[in-house]
Each structure stands twice: as structure tokens, then as C-alpha cells.
Amino acid sequence: MGFAGSLHCIGMCSPLAMAVSNLNSRATLNRVIYNAGRILTYGILGAVVGTIGWVLPFGNFQNLLSIVLGVSLLLLGVLGVSNINVPWLTGILQRSTTKLKLLFGKFLQRKSYVSVFVLGSLNGILPCGLTFLALTFCLTLNGPVDSFNYMLLFGVGTLPAMLGLTTVLMTLVKRFNISLKKLTTTMLILSGCLLIARVFI
């Protein structure tokens, strides 16, 4: 899910990471620190959501949640749905994003490794449909530890794009005449099928 999502959203988050990495001369180290903050945030969010799923009786709806998430990923892959407008929720998310961007701007002016880590952490809570789907899946897992690990792996899946390896990916795509859209679609569909299949396995 993380890798397929990073291919799908390369235009959104990757430029942000590249801008942060150029705050000082150690671009590679900046990228690693930035992504460490982002992935740690994913893990913490996963642990929080996993705890909610562990405390509340979401286990009774585990199969239903898994099927709904699987179908959602299938729709993302097949239809290329990226913008879903939910009247009241969309407004809240837009306001939250605006506040996060202002906070982002303040830390962007500082050029320390601590600020780079904080920027990565803030990036982890930016509204993202695929991250939301991954977090929702945490409700079906066996507690905060599994959910923390799941979200860490989700974050690791996004690393190729976020570490600036998009050029390498694009070179391979051109070299082997691979359709990036078809690759993304295939991976999202595969993820969706796995989520649905786990109900019957």
C-alpha cells in the first residue's frame, strides 16, 4: 500500500521532502531525518488507532472493515479516484491543512536537524486518503504493537519516492517500457484483493 501510494502521490509529498532536504548542504542526511520523523508519526498514529480498535469492539466488524477497505483500494486502482468530497469532513481537513502549512512554514525557516525531524513529523499528519485507509485497517489488527509495526512498514513502502529515487524509478520505467499508471493500478488492486482475501483465509 505504501509503495503503490507513493507512486500515486509522487507529485504531492516528494517535492516537499526535496525542498526540506535542501535546507543545508547535507541533503541526504536531511532526507533520512525528515522521513524518520514522518514514519515515526505514522507508527504513533497507527498505535493510537490500534489501541482504539483493541479497546472498542471493532473485532466484531473486522471482516466487514477488511472488505470495505479492500473494495476502496480496488476503486482507487480501477477508477483512479483521488479526490473525495465529504461536505463537513472536507472543510475540517482543509482548515487543518492550512494550519499545518503555516506551522510548516515556521519550521522551514530554521535550518537545524531538529526542525527537519519536526517537519517530517508534521508531514506524517497531513491529510492523505491512502494513509487514512492504512490507519483504518489498524482497527482490525491485534492491538497497538501490531498497528505500530503495520504503519512503520507502510511508511517504509513510501521511502523510494520520498528519498528522491523517483528519477531511478522513472529511468527503469522508460528502460523497460513500463506504464507507471498500470503499475500503480496493479499494486492497488493487488493490495485490495489481499485485504478481501484475508477474510476467507
Side-chain angles (χ1 to χ4, degrees):
M1 282 179 69
F3 185 66
S6 68
L7 292 176
H8 192 66
C9 305
I10 268 173
M12 291 178 62
C13 295
S14 187
L16 192 61
M18 296 308 101
V20 171
S21 68
N22 292 325
L23 287 178
N24 56 46
S25 59
R26 297 187 177 181
T28 303
L29 182 58
N30 281 342
R31 289 176 193 175
V32 171
I33 293 172
Y34 180 86
N35 283 287
R38 183 177 60 84
I39 293 172
L40 180 61
T41 298
Y42 286 160
I44 292 169
L45 289 173
V48 170
V49 174
T51 301
I52 293 170
W54 187 45
V55 172
L56 299 178
F58 281 107
N60 299 333
F61 308 100
Q62 188 179 79
N63 288 344
L64 178 62
L65 276 171
S66 197
I67 290 172
V68 168
L69 290 171
V71 170
S72 298
L73 284 175
L74 288 176
L75 289 174
L76 280 171
V78 175
L79 302 178
V81 178
S82 57
N83 294 318
I84 301 171
N85 189 6
V86 182
W88 61 272
L89 183 60
T90 301
I92 292 172
L93 289 176
Q94 285 175 345
R95 287 191 293 273
S96 300
T97 303
T98 301
K99 290 179 181 178
L100 279 172
K101 285 179 179 177
L102 291 172
L103 193 58
F104 212 95
K106 290 179 181 178
F107 279 98
L108 200 57
Q109 293 171 2
R110 306 171 188 177
K111 298 184 178 181
S112 67
Y113 292 129
V114 173
S115 65
V116 171
F117 184 83
V118 172
L119 286 168
S121 300
L122 289 174
N123 182 226
I125 56 176
L126 282 173
C128 169
L130 203 74
T131 304
F132 177 74
L133 282 174
L135 284 169
T136 307
F137 183 64
C138 290
L139 291 171
T140 70
L141 299 176
N142 298 320
V145 176
D146 280 358
S147 301
F148 180 84
N149 292 332
Y150 176 80
M151 289 307 293
L152 282 187
L153 289 173
F154 173 80
V156 168
T158 66
L159 276 178
M162 296 298 287
L163 285 175
L165 299 180
T166 50
T167 305
V168 176
L169 288 172
M170 294 311 293
T171 302
L172 289 173
V173 165
K174 290 178 181 178
R175 172 69 179 82
F176 295 102
N177 196 27
I178 300 168
S179 168
L180 192 60
K181 184 177 180 181
K182 287 181 181 178
L183 178 63
T184 302
T185 299
T186 301
M187 295 193 72
L188 287 171
I189 289 173
L190 179 61
S191 298
C193 288
L194 286 172
L195 284 176
I196 294 171
R198 72 184 289 276
V199 174
F200 305 100
I201 297 175

